[in-house]
Amino acid sequence: MSDNICVHCGADCGKHPVVWNNKKFCCNGCKTVYQLLNEKQLYSYYNIEKTPGIKIENQDFGNKYAYLDREDIQEKLILFREGDIVKVKFYIPVMHCASCVWLLEHLNTLNQGVQSSRVNFVKKEVSITFRIDQVSLRELVELMASIHYTPEVSLQTIQNDTRESSDKQLLYKIGVAGFAFGNVMLYSLPEYFNGGALQEDGLGPFLSILSYILTFPVVLFSGNDYIISAYKNIKKKVINIDIPIALGIITLFLVTSYQVIFEHTGGYSDSLTGLIFFLLLGKFYQGKTYQALSFERDYKSYFPVAVTKLSNSKEQSILLNEIEIGDVLLIRSKELIPADCILEEGTAQIDYSFVTGEAKPIQKHVGDFIYAGGRQTSGAIKIKVEKEVEQSHLTKLWNEDESNHSPKASLSSIVDSISEHFTVIVVLIALIGSLIWVYKGDIEEAIFVFTAVLIVACPCALALSIPFTFGNTMRLFGNAGLYIKNADVIEKLHHVNTIVFDKTGTLTTPDVDKLDFFGRLLTEKEEQAVLSLAKQSTHPLSAALAKYYQNLEYKSPNHFVEMSGRGTFGAVEGIDIRLGSAEFVGHHQAKNEQAKKSRVYVALDNQYAGYWEISNLYRTGFTDIMASLSKKFDLYLLSGDNDSEANFLKHHFKEGHLFFEQTPQDKKDFIVKLQQEGKIVLMTGDGLNDAGALMQADVALTIADDVYHFSPAGDAILEAAQFSNLSKFIDFTHTSLAIVKISFAISFFYNIIGISFALSGMLSPVIAAILMPISSVSVVAFATFVTRYLGRRIRKA
C-alpha cells in the first residue's frame, strides 16, 4: 500500500503533502481535524476504521451558517428547549462507518456545551442535546462541519418534504430511461428480424449510433445513483449491493462503446437501457409495495398511554389520540406529560431525563409552559393542552431509550455479516463464470453472463425478511394489546426462559369493594386529607384508597413526596399525613401482627392512626395463564407486600420461588443473581416500585390498567385486560422467528437458482433486472402475509 495517503481520509497526498508530526495529509483541512481529535485524545476514531475521515474542502465558514442565529429558523429546527437545555436532530449524509458513529457520539469531548449525542446509523441521523448558553446552534453546526460531518440544513429539511422530492426524482429517471429504452427497441427492430439490407444501405450503423447516443442520458442521469454510490463506497473501502449493479452497467456501456465506435455494430444499447429502466421500475415498485405492506413503524395509533381528562369536575380516562387542544388533564405523580401544555393548577417538578438525559427536576409554576415528554415528580397537577399530541414524538423518545441487553449473535447481526460478504462472493462468481465462457470462445456470452450474475443476485430479500416479519408482528401485537418498544424485543422474548412477576398491580388489582379500616375513628377532614394525598400517586393501593373516598371533597396538598417501595407523605389543610408501609408511618408493632390481606398504614400529625386492609383480585385468567407458563418457563414472584397470600400462590409457583417484603433493590439484586446463573429473564411489573428490576431484566414488561403510568424502563406494555394472552404472545415470537428463517431459505434458494441460470447463459441482463425486484417483493409479501395469517389467533380478550 502507498505510504503517500492521507492519514485522515485516505486520499492521495500528491507531490506536496501537508506534514504534521511526521504524518502526511492531503490538505490543511484534514490536518486540522486530525490535530483537533489528537488534542482531545480521541484516538479511537482511527482505531475503529482505517482512514475513516472525509476530505475537508474549506474550513473558513464566514457567514455561511449565520442564518442559524435567526429565531424563526431555530424554532423550526429545535425539537425541545427548557431553559438552556436544547435538543435538535440532524441528517448527516456523509455518515458511513463505525468511526463516524463513534465520533458523532463523542461530540461532548470536542465541545463541553454538548451534553449528549446519539446516532441512528440507518437513517444517518444524530440527536444532540446541548446547552445553548455554552454553544449556539450556529456554533454547533460549524463544529460538525469543521470535522466534515456537515448537517443537511435546508428549507427542504426544515419543511420535511424530502421524501416527496426523492420520489419525483426517481420518476424523472424512470421517464428518461423508459423513453430511451422504447426508442432503442424501435431502432433495433429491423436488426432483430432482418438487418442485412439495412446494413448495406448504411441505415443500420446510423440507427446503432442513435441508440448509442440515447444510452448516455440513461447511464449518466437515470443510472448515476448506482455508479456514484458504488464509487463512494469503494473509495471508503465499503462494499454494498450497488457495486455489482454498477459493474454490470459500466461493463455493458464500455463494450457497447467499443463495438459501436470500432466495430460499427449495434452493441448492447437495448440491453443497457432496458437493464436500467427495469432496475428503476423495480425500485419504484418495491417502494410502493413496501408502503402498502408496511406496518406502522411509529405505531402512532397503538401507543397505549391513557390520561385523566377533567370535564365538569368529573374524571374521565381517555387515550392520547382523543386529546384535543384546550382539554384540561390531571397528571399524577410519576405520570408523563403527553402534550405541550400550560400549567393550570399546582406546583410541578418536571423530570426531563426522558427527553434530554438531564435528571434534575425543573420547577414550574401556574402559567408556565411545559413540553411533552417530561414526567411530573411531585404530586397531582392540572394542565391545559396547547398543542396537538404527537404520539410519534413520544414513541421515538421511547425507542431512543436503548435497552441495555441484546441477544447474543442476533439475527440482525448474522444478516449484516452475510450481506457484508455477499457482494464479494457474487463478483467472484461473475468473474469465474465469464472467464469460463471466454475460455469456450464466446466473448459475447461471457459479457452477458458476467452482467446477469451481478444483477440477478441480491441480498435485499434477506435483509428485508426481519424488519417486515417483526414489524408486522409488532402491528399484530399492538392490535391485540401488547405494545412492543422495537423489533429487537421480539427476538429477546424468543430467548426468554425465566419470568419474574411482581404481585400488586401486576398479578392482582385491589378490590375496592373489600376495603376495611382498622384504627381510631377518622374525622371527615382527615378522610379528605387521605383522599387528597392518595390521589397524587398512581400506585394501585393509593388508587384504591382514592376511589374508596371519591365522594369526599378533594383539597390540593401543600406538598407531596413519594418514596419508592415505602409510601407517600405530605400536608393537606394543615394535617401532616403519611400513607404506606408500617415501618414508614412508624408503627413498629406491626411486625407481630399476622396480616391476611394487603395493608396501607396511616399516620396523622406524626401519630399512628390505623390501617386499611384491601383484598386483592387476581387478573382474569390468572390460573390458566400460570399453568400454561409454568410448563415452559421458571416462574418467580417478587412482592413488596406481606406473605398473606402465600398459601394460595404456592400452588402456582415452585417451592422456594416465592419472595415477599422485597425492596426495589432486593428485586434488582435477584434479577442480577438469575442472570449470573445464565437465565434470560422477563420481568413483569407496574413500573412503580420495580423500575430498577425492569431496567436490569433482559426484557421488561409493564402492565397497563385504565390510567397508565408510563415507564420508559419497559421494553413492552401489556394492557391489563390482555394478561390472559401473555403465553400466546410469547409463543408467537417463536412463530415469527420461524417465518424469518423460512424467508432466509427462500432468499437463498432464489439466489442459487438465479445465479445458476445466469451462469448457464440462459438469463439475459434485462430479464435479471426484472427478476431482482420481484424476488425481494415476493419474499417480503411472503413474510407479511404469513405473519398476518398465522397471527389471526392473537385477538384482544
Side-chain angles (χ1 to χ4, degrees):
M1 181 181 287
S2 171
D3 61 353
N4 198 42
I5 65 169
C6 177
V7 173
H8 177 71
C9 74
D12 192 321
C13 293
K15 295 181 180 179
H16 305 288
V18 178
V19 180
W20 179 79
N21 203 17
N22 295 323
K23 292 180 171 60
K24 294 181 180 180
F25 302 89
C26 64
C27 62
N28 282 307
C30 287
K31 184 195 75 170
T32 303
V33 176
Y34 186 90
Q35 288 173 326
L36 177 64
L37 299 178
N38 189 69
E39 178 189 338
K40 298 296 183 179
Q41 300 183 350
L42 297 178
Y43 312 117
S44 297
Y45 178 68
Y46 296 98
N47 296 334
I48 300 171
E49 300 273 348
K50 292 182 179 178
T51 62
I54 294 132
K55 183 178 176 66
I56 311 297
E57 302 298 338
N58 180 23
Q59 285 284 87
D60 184 15
F61 302 115
N63 291 321
K64 181 178 180 180
Y65 298 109
Y67 66 92
L68 292 175
D69 290 331
R70 289 176 48 179
E71 290 189 8
D72 56 332
I73 297 295
Q74 290 183 9
E75 286 178 7
K76 293 177 180 178
L77 290 172
I78 291 174
L79 300 177
F80 169 89
R81 181 167 185 170
E82 184 59 53
D84 295 325
I85 305 295
V86 175
K87 185 168 184 175
V88 292
K89 180 178 288 185
F90 292 127
Y91 173 63
I92 314 292
V94 299
M95 192 191 307
H96 67 281
C97 68
S99 287
C100 300
V101 175
W102 185 87
L103 181 56
L104 286 168
E105 292 194 340
H106 286 77
L107 289 175
N108 59 326
T109 311
L110 299 177
N111 191 306
Q112 294 182 352
V114 177
Q115 291 195 313
S116 65
S117 50
R118 179 168 299 185
V119 168
N120 183 326
F121 185 69
V122 175
K123 294 183 177 180
K124 294 191 175 184
E125 291 177 343
V126 58
S127 298
I128 304 172
T129 303
F130 64 99
R131 295 191 64 92
I132 204 164
D133 60 330
Q134 296 180 22
V135 55
S136 69
L137 182 62
R138 175 182 176 179
E139 289 169 340
L140 177 66
V141 171
E142 288 179 344
L143 168 67
M144 298 175 71
S146 71
I147 54 175
H148 209 73
Y149 292 103
T150 308
E152 189 174 281
V153 182
S154 64
L155 182 62
Q156 193 175 74
T157 55
I158 291 172
Q159 292 176 344
N160 202 24
D161 57 3
T162 312
R163 178 178 293 180
E164 185 180 344
S165 174
S166 62
D167 284 347
K168 284 183 179 179
Q169 185 79 352
L170 178 58
L171 288 173
Y172 292 149
K173 292 185 175 186
I174 291 172
V176 170
F179 171 81
F181 176 54
N183 281 280
V184 169
M185 291 294 290
L186 185 64
Y187 299 154
S188 303
L189 281 176
E191 188 178 344
Y192 292 155
F193 296 106
N194 182 12
L198 293 174
Q199 291 291 339
E200 293 173 5
D201 295 339
L203 186 58
F206 175 71
L207 292 176
S208 296
I209 292 170
L210 277 180
S211 297
Y212 176 60
I213 291 171
L214 285 171
T215 64
F216 278 86
V218 176
V219 172
L220 298 178
F221 174 67
S222 298
N224 66 348
D225 284 345
Y226 297 109
I227 297 169
I228 292 170
S229 173
Y231 169 73
K232 286 183 176 179
N233 282 284
I234 289 172
K235 190 177 177 182
K236 287 296 171 188
K237 301 178 179 64
V238 176
I239 295 172
N240 72 343
I241 187 59
D242 288 337
I243 291 175
I245 295 175
L247 274 175
I249 292 171
I250 292 169
T251 301
L252 282 178
F253 181 72
L254 292 177
V255 172
T256 300
S257 299
Y258 177 82
Q259 291 189 355
V260 171
I261 295 169
F262 297 104
E263 296 183 354
H264 306 293
T265 58
Y268 305 109
S269 298
D270 52 350
S271 295
L272 178 58
T273 53
L275 168 65
I276 295 175
F277 173 66
F278 284 114
L279 280 173
L280 294 173
L281 202 61
K283 188 176 182 180
F284 179 77
Y285 172 63
Q286 272 183 303
K288 291 300 179 183
T289 305
Y290 296 162
Q291 287 176 26
L293 297 177
S294 178
F295 48 91
E296 293 75 1
R297 292 176 187 270
D298 56 4
Y299 28 104
K300 295 179 184 177
S301 55
Y302 301 126
F303 202 62
V305 176
V307 293
T308 304
K309 176 181 175 180
L310 297 177
S311 180
N312 298 324
S313 300
K314 291 185 178 179
E315 296 181 10
Q316 178 186 1
S317 180
I318 60 172
L319 292 176
L320 281 185
N321 57 4
E322 298 171 341
I323 295 175
E324 297 177 353
I325 294 174
D327 283 350
V328 176
L329 307 178
L330 176 67
I331 306 296
R332 298 177 178 83
S333 176
K334 305 296 175 68
E335 285 189 337
L336 203 69
I337 306 295
D340 293 350
C341 60
I342 298 292
L343 182 61
E344 287 256 305
E345 183 180 308
T347 300
Q349 292 283 341
I350 306 297
D351 176 6
Y352 280 117
S353 59
F354 190 30
V355 183
T356 65
E358 185 76 30
K360 184 179 178 181
I362 296 171
Q363 188 165 2
K364 295 286 184 178
H365 302 284
V366 172
D368 286 351
F369 185 84
I370 304 175
Y371 276 97
R375 182 203 291 272
Q376 164 65 347
T377 61
S378 62
I381 56 174
K382 291 180 183 179
I383 60 172
K384 185 177 181 180
V385 176
E386 288 290 303
K387 292 185 180 179
E388 290 182 359
V389 174
E390 290 190 32
Q391 287 177 278
S392 58
H393 171 63
L394 295 178
T395 53
K396 283 173 187 172
L397 289 174
W398 192 27
N399 272 296
E400 284 181 3
D401 182 46
E402 293 178 347
S403 179
N404 46 344
H405 296 282
S406 59
K408 297 177 181 178
S410 69
L411 281 173
S412 297
S413 63
I414 293 169
V415 170
D416 291 343
S417 178
I418 293 171
S419 299
E420 185 180 340
H421 299 97
F422 184 90
T423 302
V424 177
I425 294 168
V426 167
V427 172
L428 288 174
I429 291 172
L431 282 171
I432 293 168
S434 61
L435 288 174
I436 291 172
W437 281 98
V438 170
Y439 178 75
K440 291 179 179 180
D442 194 337
I443 302 295
E444 183 175 341
E445 195 64 52
I447 293 167
F448 266 54
V449 165
F450 179 75
T451 310
V453 170
L454 292 176
I455 301 302
V456 78
C458 180
C460 299
L462 189 72
L464 291 169
S465 300
I466 293 176
F468 273 86
T469 302
F470 285 0
N472 278 283
T473 300
M474 289 169 64
R475 186 187 63 81
L476 287 167
F477 282 3
N479 281 332
L482 175 64
Y483 308 93
I484 300 290
K485 180 177 182 178
N486 53 47
D488 291 340
V489 176
I490 295 170
E491 191 173 350
K492 290 194 285 185
L493 272 172
H494 168 77
H495 292 282
V496 164
N497 54 28
T498 303
I499 302 178
V500 177
F501 291 100
D502 176 41
K503 182 172 76 73
T504 305
T506 304
L507 297 180
T508 66
T509 54
D511 184 358
V512 183
D513 294 330
K514 296 182 179 178
L515 189 152
D516 299 298
F517 181 72
F518 299 90
R520 70 169 179 79
L521 185 65
L522 301 181
T523 65
E524 183 176 343
K525 186 177 180 180
E526 289 172 335
E527 288 181 338
Q528 286 178 345
V530 169
L531 163 71
S532 302
L533 192 69
K535 210 174 182 66
Q536 309 302 306
S537 173
T538 54
H539 191 281
L541 294 179
S542 293
L545 281 178
K547 190 172 182 180
Y548 183 74
Y549 289 111
Q550 63 184 341
N551 293 325
L552 296 175
E553 185 181 354
Y554 169 80
K555 303 288 185 179
S556 294
N558 302 107
H559 66 86
F560 165 84
V561 177
E562 184 167 14
M563 303 185 69
S564 181
R566 302 184 66 198
T568 60
F569 68 88
V572 180
E573 297 284 291
I575 301 175
D576 288 329
I577 180 170
R578 282 177 175 258
L579 296 172
S581 65
E583 170 268 333
F584 183 67
V585 304
H587 182 53
H588 303 292
Q589 288 84 3
K591 294 180 180 179
N592 303 320
E593 299 172 2
Q594 191 67 34
K596 295 183 179 181
K597 300 175 182 177
S598 295
R599 288 183 176 182
V600 177
Y601 293 83
V602 59
L604 299 166
D605 291 327
N606 296 318
Q607 297 293 319
Y608 169 68
Y611 62 87
W612 291 268
E613 268 197 350
I614 307 173
S615 298
N616 287 312
L617 290 174
Y618 282 85
R619 301 280 185 196
T620 303
F622 169 78
T623 302
D624 292 337
I625 189 65
M626 297 306 291
S628 175
L629 292 173
S630 62
K631 296 174 183 176
K632 310 163 193 172
F633 306 97
D634 285 334
L635 304 182
Y636 293 86
L637 179 79
L638 299 179
S639 175
D641 208 349
N642 56 56
D643 62 355
S644 60
E645 298 184 46
N647 287 333
F648 171 75
L649 290 168
K650 70 181 181 181
H651 299 295
H652 303 284
F653 292 86
K654 293 179 182 178
E655 188 175 348
H657 284 209
L658 292 173
F659 299 88
F660 297 96
E661 298 181 356
Q662 300 290 294
T663 65
Q665 187 62 42
D666 291 336
K667 295 179 181 182
K668 181 178 179 180
D669 292 342
F670 188 80
I671 300 293
V672 172
K673 177 174 173 290
L674 290 176
Q675 290 171 332
Q676 289 172 346
E677 294 172 0
K679 298 184 184 297
I680 309 298
V681 181
L682 165 65
M683 172 72 192
T684 65
D686 56 16
L688 295 166
N689 297 330
D690 21 59
L694 287 167
M695 292 183 73
Q696 180 62 43
D698 297 280
V699 183
L701 175 68
T702 51
I703 307 295
D705 277 297
D706 292 338
V707 177
Y708 176 61
H709 159 80
F710 180 80
S711 174
D715 292 309
I717 304 165
L718 178 65
E719 285 184 9
Q722 311 311 316
F723 179 73
S724 59
N725 278 334
L726 179 59
S727 183
K728 288 181 182 179
F729 286 127
I730 298 176
D731 287 345
F732 195 77
T733 62
H734 298 271
T735 304
S736 296
L737 265 290
I739 293 170
V740 168
K741 290 173 183 176
I742 294 170
S743 299
F744 284 0
I746 293 172
S747 179
F748 278 119
F749 179 75
Y750 156 78
N751 279 289
I752 291 169
I753 298 298
I755 291 171
S756 300
F757 272 91
L759 288 172
S760 67
M762 299 170 63
L763 197 65
S764 74
V766 175
I767 301 300
I770 296 171
L771 289 177
M772 187 184 76
I774 290 176
S775 71
S776 300
V777 169
S778 60
V779 170
V780 167
F782 168 81
T784 301
F785 290 122
V786 171
T787 306
R788 291 181 181 181
Y789 177 77
L790 296 178
R792 292 178 306 166
R793 60 192 177 89
I794 301 177
R795 291 287 182 269
K796 272 197 174 185

